[in-house]
Structure formats: C-alpha cells, structure tokens
Amino acid sequence: MFFVACNANETPQLGKASVDKVVAAMTLEEKVQLLVGTGMAGFSGENSVVGETQNLVPGAAGTTCPIPRLGIPAIVLADGPAGLRIQPTRKDDPQTYYCTAFPVGTLLASTWNVELVENVGQAMGNEVLEYGADVLLGPALNIHRNPLCGRNFEYYSEDPLLAGKMTAAMVKGVQSNGVGTSIKHFAANNQETNRMGNDARMTTRALREIYLRGFEIAVKESNPQTVMSSYNFINGVYASESRELLTDILRDEWGFKGLVMTDWFGGKNPPAQVHAGNDLLMPGAPTQYEAILAAANDGSLSMADIDTNVKRILKVILETPRFKGYPYSNTPDLKAHADITRQSAAEGMVLLKNTENALPFAPNVKTIAAFGITSYEFISGGTGSGDVNKAYNVSLKEGLNNSGYTLNVDLANKYETHIAAENQKNAPDPNNFMAMFMPKVYAAELLFSNAQLAGIAAGSDIALITIGRNSGEFLDRKIENDFELSVDEQKLIQTVSEAFHAAGKKTVVVLNIGGVIETASWKAQPDAILLAWQAGQEGGNSVADVLKGAVNPSGKLPMTFPVNYFDIASSANFPYDYQFDMQKAFGSFMGQGNAPKEPVRNEDYTNYEEDIYVGYRYFDTFEKPVSYPFGYGLSYTGFACENPTVTGKNGNYTFNVRVKNTGEMAGKEVVQLYISAPAKAMDKPAKELKAFAKTKLLQPGETQMLTLKITPRDLASFDSIDNAWKVEAGDYTAQFGASASDMLQSVKFSVAKEIVVEKVHNVLNPKEKINGIR
Ligand code: BGC
C-alpha cells in the first residue's frame, strides 16, 4: 500500500499515513483515550476528554473517542440484534428516525434459511449505514442452555452449528453495507441473573464444543469486524479480562483480526482487559482511563499491549463509513424493509400442531373470535437493548383485517376496553429509572362464562387464542406464569376449545413468545398451534399470511420444547427462584461493588454439570420424552426424502439427498443431517446436527437434490486431556431427519483411523471439579 509522503514536521493523519506512523505520533494520553469509549450520559459520567460525540446519532449505545489532531474520527456503535436501536425523534427536528423491528433472532434461526437471514442482515445493515452508525451491536448467539434465560429471544439456538451458521449469514448481510457487526456476548453468557458477577464453570469440552463453537464458525466464515466480550466470568476469570479467551483462542487459534469491545460496563480491571486483548472498553468511564494511564505509567501494563489494541481500533475505524465520509441519508427504505420483515417472519413461524387441516383457514372462515390480550397487543420483540424504536407494530387483529377477515366485534371491543384500562393502571412510573428496563406488564387475561362462549362461538367461524410472553436483559424468566401458563390462560384455552368444539368449530392457538414455554399439558385441546415467536413490526400480517395459507409454514424449532421444566438437564444448575436484586443488577453501572459474602450457587457461580448435554443432545442420549423435539415443524404439504448417498473419506464427506413435495401445496423443507459416532473412544451424544439445508419453494410433485458437506473438524469432538479436536475411528451413521426425533433416511460411512484435526492451547480450565451427569 502507498501512503502520501508526510513531511517530517506534519502530524500523520489516519488513512494518509500508515497506522504504525499514526500510533507512533500519538501521546500516551491519546492512546488511552482511544481505548476507552466516550461514556454514557447518566451512568458513568462522560469521559472528560470528550465533547459532543454522543449526539452524532442520538440514542446509539456509544462512540469511540475522536482525536482530530491525527484525523481520527469518533465512530458510532449502536444496538442491536433485531434492528438498529436509536432515538426515533430529536429535539427541534420534525424528521423521524424510526428503524425496522425485524423478527427476533430465535425466529430467524427457526427459518433454517441462511440466504434469508443474509437478506435480513442486508436490510438491517442498510439502516445502520443510512442512519450514520458504524457498527451494529449484534448479532447475538449465546446458546439456549436453559429456556428461562431472559435473553434467549435475541439468541439463535440450543445447537452451536445452527447458531454459528445463522450468525455468519447475518454478519455477511449486515457487513455487505460496509458497516461492522459485533458478535456477542463472547462467551457463555447464558443467564441474566447476576449477569455481571456470575462465574460460568464448565469443562473445556463443553466450552469448546457448545459455547465457543458457534463463535468459531462465525469468525471463520464471516469475518465480523468486532466481537463483544461478555459480562460473566468463565472458570473464574472475567471474559473481558481473559487473555486465554480473547487472545489465545479468538486470535491465535481462530485468526480473528478485528477488535474486541467489552459489553457495557463489563469487567472490573481495565489494565487486565487491555492486556487480555479487550481493545475497547465501552461505554467508557474516566475511572477506566485513569486506571489504564496509571498502569502504563507504573509499568504494570506494557506499551506493547496498549499499541496492539490501539492499532486494532484504528484498523476498524479505517473501515467505517464515518471515516470514509459516507453521506448518509437518514432515509432508508423502510417500506422495502417492512416487506422483508413480513416475509422472513412468516418463514420462521413453526406449525406445532394441525389436526384435520385446521390450518390454513378453510374458505368458509370469515369471522374470527380472537381471544388473548396479545391478539390485540401483539409483541414484536423483547425488551432492553434488543428492542427497536419502530414506527408501528401490526397487531394480530390488524393483520387479520388486512387479510380480509372480520373479527368478532363485541369480543374485540371487550378486550380493547379492558386493555386500555389495565394499561393505564400498569403504566410504568416515568420517574422510576428501573422501569425503562423492565418488560411491559400486560393486562390480566379475560375469562368468559360458558354461556358467553357459546354465544361467541355461534357468532364466529373459528377461535384464535394468542398466548404472549415478553422478557429482556437483566432478568431471567420464571417457571410459574411464564414458562408455565397461568391458571387463567389454561382455563381460557380449555373453555374456548370446548365451546367451539361443541359448536362444531375449531380453535387455533398462536404463541407470541420469545422463548420456550410448557406445552405438553394443554396441547391436546386446540386443533392447531402456530408458534409465531416475536415476529417484528409486521407480526400480525406475517401470522395472517400463514393462517390464510398465503405462506406455507416451513419453520423448524431451533431448540427442544420439553415436557416439564425439570426435565431439562441444566435445570439442576440454573436460577429459577431468584428474587431480582437491583444492587446486583446495577452494581457495576453504579460503580459500586457487591458486598463480599459466601458465593451463592447459580447466582455467583453456575456449574454446567450437564456438560455437552444441552438441548436435544441430552433428551436424545438419555431417552427423555419431549413435547416437541429440536428441528420439528409441520407444513401444509408433505415431503419425501429419497436416495441418500455419501461419498468421501478421511473425515471429508459429501451427502446427497432428494426431497420431493408429495402434497398439494407449494412449500419448502429443511433437511437436517444428524451423525452418530462410534462412541468407543469418547463419550458422545446419541447424535449431533452436523449440516442442514433448505429447499427452494417446491411445487407439488417437484423434487430438488440437496448437497450437504462436512469436514473433519465438523466430525471432531474435543479431547480435553490432549487439548485436541479428534475424529474417532470406526463406523458412523448419518441420518437425514425431519427433526431430531424423526429420521427419514440413513447412510453409513467409516473412518479408517483416528484423525487429530487440530491441537489447541491448554487454556480456560475449570478451577474446581465439575460433576458430570454420566
Ligand atoms: C447489553 C448489550 C448491549 C449493550 C449496549 C448491554 O446492557 O448486554 O447486548 O449491546 O448493553 O446497549
């Protein structure tokens, strides 16, 4: 690369002089300023060195520190995984800055469609670019270790392959706009309870195979510009202070070239973070600046560490639209993005039950009795930094109307009056700082007498009952009235189903939820169940598209729906009866430590005793019945999976399988490739997902050949004694499934002798023994 020659007296300018020259010209103070973000009003106090950067894009989560003398601009970092989160209105400015609320991560993963997710990413990234931000703080891909994690909706799956592939697709899509992403939260951030103080303790095998694997796939396949380290400790060390995690694994082993930033206010020891390779501390506080400066001055932190991180930050800045002077419009094509949202959301909805073709609605269905609060207040996404300030949110009622259906008017009026009154009562106190972080309190469910229901059934063609759930960061979910249905919800499903059945009419349940709920106890009652997830701002339209049959559902579960909460292996080590503690949740935000005390299990530390047996790996291997298995989802048509073949050797295999639409409606199907290992030399799950593919829209009778490939690394397991990824020798079975419990075809292959795929660092070992479940 050639740089414009600099006169010896001239100050080198970023982009004109080499990064090395710019760094050489920086004072220590300037370097440290760059390592620490510009603060967050109302929390840490603005970094004293900074002026107006926080108004570059109002509502963005943070900025880096500009150094005009050297031509270094501030860059803008903004949430989040379901779309850009900025302030929608500005003082003395008639223009609005609404962004598109896309479907939540879990819904996108349910599409199992990497092209679709890349398209969504392209649209999302375009809003980042056109609203003047530089790096999107997403996608988020922590593993769904337990359904009660309050942020699962932001994340993709219980399976690291699916999570990693979805992340790679999203990163490619967003970054195709020339803006950056920040894949988060690295790593093992699987609970919100005491999220800034919890130590995730696990074997290196569980860490590598389950909790790091998705990040590894994403880093290697999509080159994210940045990674966000997580709040928690991993085996006794804060993720943001772990050189083993951020340097030995992320950079040395995986080849990550971008920058690592902390999660907001994460970690306690700024010099240790710098040394670990956590380049940027966000949002940044004067105390961090001072701590780094002091450590540099007393020699406990090396200049080499500081320079390395400064260079990484400068390299990312060089890539940003702001550095390049992109003239952003502030007018992205919100209409086009709404169309993408509507279509992608419909593709990620999962049809869980459909008896006697209750769906799509028969032609004689015209008037719908819509029950359930969230039929009228459809939830587009979760709360916290995963939320988006959108211009509108299509409720189910509106979506059905838009699709030409009439709602039972008396019933709708009753709900709307009730909701308006309850919303007034439950309105969050604007003076309560905590309230802005808490999920909305929805109106209590309405119940109806048998006579009332008989009347409603007589005046409607079908019943729809929406069950809604919302959650967000800071808080994990509860078992009662959240994972489990409330008594009133159970009663509603039961009484409505009975009344409509008695009238010879059907009942459909729509699940407007962000995470897994209990389904086994009530799923026999309705005729159909559509898992709509939190589907973004066009949610009501997307659901209506599926109910009507304009879209044939092709979503598949990215996680298992268990029979009971306590059937889940991690339930033995997950906080479920925790009382929210403001001091703990906000301790670091407020700059206060938590008072020293005896560490409390599942709050201060969580032992991952289920090890690699997360999700279907557990249910399958230990033969526990589930309510709906991983990978499950029905269609309005049928598919056959034919002529499977395998070719290849030494760990590299290509599989072919032909999928045929055997039904009467066009549709898409996902083929899931599960592999069972010989499991002689190593403890292995009964089977693991190793590849997947989705067909195009197949017309009735049409076929498509799908090709799936795997490499030795895909087949390998982590041997924590030798610190190596190994493929066992022996006979393997590859099964093509319609879900983890429904195998359609299988082929066999053998690996002649053990393959040591990769030797890695002996790092991140647990400090205490972690009991296993085998
Ligand atoms: C969340 C991050 C988010 C950041 C900035 C934190 O509370 O954990 O996911 O990106 O805030 O808003």
Side-chain angles (χ1 to χ4, degrees), residues 257-528:
K257 297 274 182 295
L259 82 79
V260 176
M261 69 181 81
T262 59
D263 196 348
W264 267 229
F265 306 96
K268 289 243 159 59
N269 182 340
Q273 291 173 312
V274 175
H275 175 67
N278 195 119
D279 310 292
L280 179 61
L281 310 192
M282 289 306 295
T287 48
Q288 294 173 317
Y289 170 84
E290 281 147 22
I292 298 171
L293 199 60
N297 283 329
D298 72 18
S300 55
L301 179 65
S302 76
M303 275 314 291
D305 281 344
I306 293 179
D307 284 354
T308 303
N309 296 8
V310 166
K311 279 181 202 166
R312 291 194 194 117
I313 296 173
L314 290 179
K315 282 185 186 149
V316 165
I317 292 177
L318 276 168
E319 298 296 313
T320 58
R322 183 156 271 94
F323 178 79
K324 294 175 181 165
Y326 179 76
Y328 54 94
S329 64
N330 276 328
T331 54
D333 189 346
L334 296 178
K335 171 75 188 70
H337 297 171
D339 291 345
I340 292 175
T341 303
R342 176 172 180 166
Q343 169 248 324
S344 57
E347 185 156 338
M349 293 182 182
V350 186
L351 185 61
L352 296 177
K353 177 176 181 182
N354 195 17
T355 317
E356 291 174 23
N357 298 330
L359 294 176
F361 287 156
N364 63 354
V365 169
K366 301 212 158 43
T367 304
I368 297 171
F371 295 90
I373 300 296
T374 47
S375 283
Y376 303 87
E377 290 211 301
F378 211 58
I379 302 170
S380 63
T383 59
S385 60
D387 196 9
V388 178
N389 295 313
K390 59 214 164 280
Y392 62 87
N393 178 24
V394 178
S395 74
L396 192 49
K397 177 191 160 187
E398 288 162 329
L400 291 167
N401 286 155
N402 294 343
S403 277
Y405 295 102
T406 310
L407 261 72
N408 181 315
V409 181
D410 290 346
L411 184 62
N413 287 344
K414 195 168 169 114
Y415 268 103
E416 282 170 345
T417 314
H418 167 69
I419 290 169
E422 290 250 317
N423 279 354
Q424 217 168 18
K425 203 173 76 195
N426 297 334
D429 173 1
N431 301 318
N432 179 352
F433 161 78
M434 289 282 297
M436 69 192 226
F437 291 102
M438 296 300 125
K440 175 180 159 85
V441 177
Y442 286 87
E445 274 306 342
L446 286 175
L447 288 176
F448 303 85
S449 68
N450 290 344
Q452 281 174 316
L453 286 173
I456 297 168
S460 321
D461 301 317
I462 200 163
L464 211 61
I465 307 170
T466 306
I467 300 292
R469 290 288 182 273
N470 208 2
S471 70
E473 62 185 288
F474 295 107
L475 276 177
D476 286 316
R477 297 170 55 209
K478 298 271 183 237
I479 299 178
E480 270 180 31
N481 298 332
D482 191 345
F483 178 79
E484 292 173 349
L485 298 196
S486 69
V487 172
D488 284 355
E489 287 169 332
Q490 291 171 32
K491 209 158 174 199
L492 186 69
I493 294 177
Q494 190 199 332
T495 53
V496 171
S497 300
E498 281 170 7
F500 275 71
H501 289 163
K505 294 172 183 173
K506 292 180 171 150
T507 302
V508 177
V509 169
V510 174
L511 299 178
N512 179 203
I513 59 183
V516 172
I517 61 166
E518 186 275 323
T519 49
S521 68
W522 56 267
K523 67 182 180 183
Q525 294 160 12
D527 303 275

